[in-house]
Amino acid sequence: MSSTYKYYGQFDPPVDKIIHNRYFLDKYQGISLEAGSFDGLTECSTKFFEENYGWASFNIEPLPHIFDKLVINRPNSFNFPMALSNANGEKDITVYDINTYGIHNTNASLNHTDKHRKLLEKISRGEKKTFTVQCMTYKDFIECAGIKHIDLFVLDVEGYEPEVIEGMVGCEVMPDVFVIEHGHREPNFFVEKLKILDVGYKLDYISHVNSYFVKV
């Protein structure tokens, strides 16, 4: 294996570099789940482990035009055109039309926070597109996919993270390392939110807009 790694995650240091160095330095054949995986390359936090350590990657991306890119970019992954939520069924997801990127951007959400929505409305001049997508709880998704263990769960769904966590209640398979984008709220919000789960999590690290939790 090359000693020079290519990381794909957002920020400096990249999210996947932090995860690698802090939690999975020599972990082979792990299992990852990424909700809000976008095109599988841009700001992706799990491709590194699939590429270098032979991990099985489960990627969730609800936007149909982005999912098409995900399938092309990550042919060896398990890719699902849906969203995680606190209930099963259909729900609308909104993506704002932003200059340069159009609707091919990473800011789509099932429920933007008020602050984020106002910002996106401003920079998009109100131009947006809504898609109706299939949703499933984490609990039911894990059961349907037949997943028996999760080493890493990266959750970045633009403000909809609390609802996804609600859909984890009652599931027997919980991630060992849980990375949550807290940027639209605060880390302490998720410290409290995770208490609804049947297992405990400790806030281990914070970098940029992400909180790194470990199962205890």
Side-chain angles (χ1 to χ4, degrees):
M1 181 183 297
S2 172
S3 59
T4 303
Y5 293 114
K6 178 179 180 180
Y7 295 101
Y8 299 88
Q10 189 179 17
F11 304 119
D12 184 15
V15 173
D16 46 351
K17 184 176 183 178
I18 293 173
I19 297 169
H20 176 217
N21 291 337
R22 195 171 184 89
Y23 306 110
F24 301 112
L25 193 59
D26 293 302
K27 171 72 174 182
Y28 288 85
Q29 306 303 317
I31 298 175
S32 69
L33 171 63
E34 187 162 15
S37 58
F38 198 61
D39 63 9
L41 290 178
T42 306
E43 300 178 0
C44 174
S45 300
T46 61
K47 178 175 170 58
F48 168 85
F49 298 99
E50 178 183 277
E51 194 170 70
N52 294 285
Y53 288 93
W55 283 36
S57 298
F58 291 80
N59 301 317
I60 293 176
E61 173 52 51
L63 291 177
H65 56 291
I66 303 299
F67 181 80
D68 290 343
K69 296 181 179 181
L70 171 62
V71 171
I72 294 171
N73 292 334
R74 300 288 291 280
N76 298 319
S77 301
F78 301 96
N79 302 310
F80 298 86
M82 50 165 281
L84 293 180
S85 185
N86 53 5
N88 298 335
E90 293 184 338
K91 191 173 178 66
D92 288 343
I93 187 169
T94 300
V95 57
Y96 286 84
D97 191 334
I98 298 173
N99 288 342
T100 305
Y101 299 102
I103 60 171
H104 296 263
N105 65 75
T106 60
N107 287 304
S109 180
L110 292 168
N111 187 22
H112 293 95
T113 63
D114 289 341
K115 182 178 179 180
H116 194 200
R117 183 183 298 108
K118 289 176 182 178
L119 173 62
L120 292 171
E121 289 278 0
K122 181 179 180 180
I123 63 179
S124 68
R125 298 185 179 87
E127 296 294 326
K128 59 187 176 182
K129 188 166 184 178
T130 299
F131 299 87
T132 300
V133 299
Q134 189 64 40
C135 297
M136 184 178 288
T137 66
Y138 171 98
K139 180 178 183 293
D140 286 348
F141 172 78
I142 293 296
E143 292 175 358
C144 289
I147 299 173
K148 304 301 182 184
H149 181 81
I150 293 285
D151 293 283
L152 169 66
F153 180 18
V154 178
L155 178 60
D156 180 357
V157 288
E158 300 303 307
Y160 199 68
E161 291 82 7
E163 289 84 352
V164 175
I165 293 169
E166 291 166 8
M168 298 173 73
V169 172
C171 186
E172 295 182 358
V173 179
M174 291 291 173
D176 293 337
V177 176
F178 193 177
V179 180
I180 305 173
E181 185 189 52
H182 66 250
H184 302 292
R185 291 179 173 83
E186 295 293 337
N188 284 339
F189 174 91
F190 290 102
V191 170
E192 294 301 315
K193 188 68 180 180
L194 289 176
K195 291 179 180 179
I196 69 173
L197 303 180
D198 297 331
V199 301
Y201 279 95
K202 178 184 75 173
L203 178 58
D204 180 66
Y205 190 70
I206 297 172
S207 179
H208 295 280
V209 298
N210 292 293
S211 295
Y212 298 72
F213 291 88
V214 294
K215 188 166 63 174
V216 296

